[in-house]
Amino acid sequence: MKYVITFLSIIQTLYCHAQGWNLEQCQSYALENNRQLLSEQYTADIQRMEHKTIQSKLLPEISANANLDYYWKVPVQTLPGELVGQTHGTFITVSTSTSHAGSYGVDVKLNLINAEVWTGIKLEALKEQARRHEYASMEKLLSRNVSISFYLVQQYSKERTGYPTKIR
């Protein structure tokens, strides 16, 4: 694997040298166009999203409900009319409820005590940190290999022609 990276670095350096680039331009070209580094960057982005997904499990789950009932046959009760000022022996009917009844509620569920969620969050944080470290390590390795290749090409050019190539 190291030989492949070194070989690719030498090829990129030769390409950069043919264009008349300096070391910084060669390194920036290598960092922008290395497929393995780009793949690692995408993997780190995916890992960061997975970490956020696990963290979202700590957010409260909120659900609301509402219910409306219509009673087409309202229960009634017969009472003596004397209670409301009518004559003795008369009766009145009084409804004992309304024709509509309703209820509503809100449920909130928190996962603050769930040990599995906290373990998952810690694990994803460690995975994200490992990906960032791996990406930085790969970036340093690529930069170092491009630098070595650049100076080897300079030395090779000096040995072949007798003088170093010009760096623009």
Side-chain angles (χ1 to χ4, degrees):
M1 184 66 180
K2 290 181 181 180
Y3 298 114
V4 172
I5 291 174
T6 306
F7 177 73
L8 291 175
S9 299
I10 290 173
I11 295 296
Q12 288 175 349
T13 305
L14 288 173
Y15 175 75
C16 294
H17 181 69
Q19 299 293 321
W21 290 359
N22 60 16
L23 178 61
E24 290 79 24
Q25 289 172 327
C26 291
Q27 285 179 343
S28 67
Y29 179 82
L31 292 175
E32 290 172 6
N33 295 308
N34 186 294
R35 290 184 184 178
Q36 189 175 6
L37 192 63
L38 291 173
S39 173
E40 193 65 35
Q41 183 178 7
Y42 293 142
T43 305
D45 290 342
I46 290 170
Q47 194 70 41
R48 189 172 24 263
M49 288 297 157
E50 288 177 359
H51 185 214
K52 287 182 180 181
T53 302
I54 293 291
Q55 281 181 333
S56 70
K57 290 184 179 181
L58 287 179
L59 295 175
E61 296 176 19
I62 301 173
S63 62
N65 56 18
N67 188 16
L68 181 62
D69 294 323
Y70 173 73
Y71 299 110
W72 59 276
K73 189 174 183 180
V74 177
V76 293
Q77 184 173 5
T78 305
L79 299 173
E82 298 169 348
L83 294 174
V84 288
Q86 294 185 357
T87 60
H88 179 66
T90 60
F91 295 97
I92 59 169
T93 55
V94 178
S95 59
T96 57
S97 65
T98 62
S99 60
H100 291 83
S103 64
Y104 58 90
V106 176
D107 296 325
V108 178
K109 181 181 175 186
L110 294 173
N111 280 329
L112 295 178
I113 308 174
N114 192 346
E116 185 177 316
V117 173
W118 285 103
T119 304
I121 289 173
K122 289 179 183 178
L123 180 63
E124 289 299 322
L126 289 174
K127 284 181 182 178
E128 183 181 353
Q129 183 180 7
R131 287 287 181 196
R132 281 196 313 260
H133 179 70
E134 189 174 334
Y135 177 80
S137 174
M138 189 176 294
E139 194 175 39
K140 282 182 181 178
L141 178 66
L142 183 64
S143 179
R144 183 190 64 157
N145 287 341
V146 167
S147 298
I148 291 170
S149 300
F150 183 82
Y151 290 121
L152 283 175
V153 167
Q154 292 289 323
Q155 184 179 0
Y156 173 74
S157 177
K158 182 180 178 182
E159 289 174 359
R160 190 172 50 106
T161 61
Y163 55 92
T165 60
K166 295 180 183 177
I167 299 175
R168 297 181 194 176

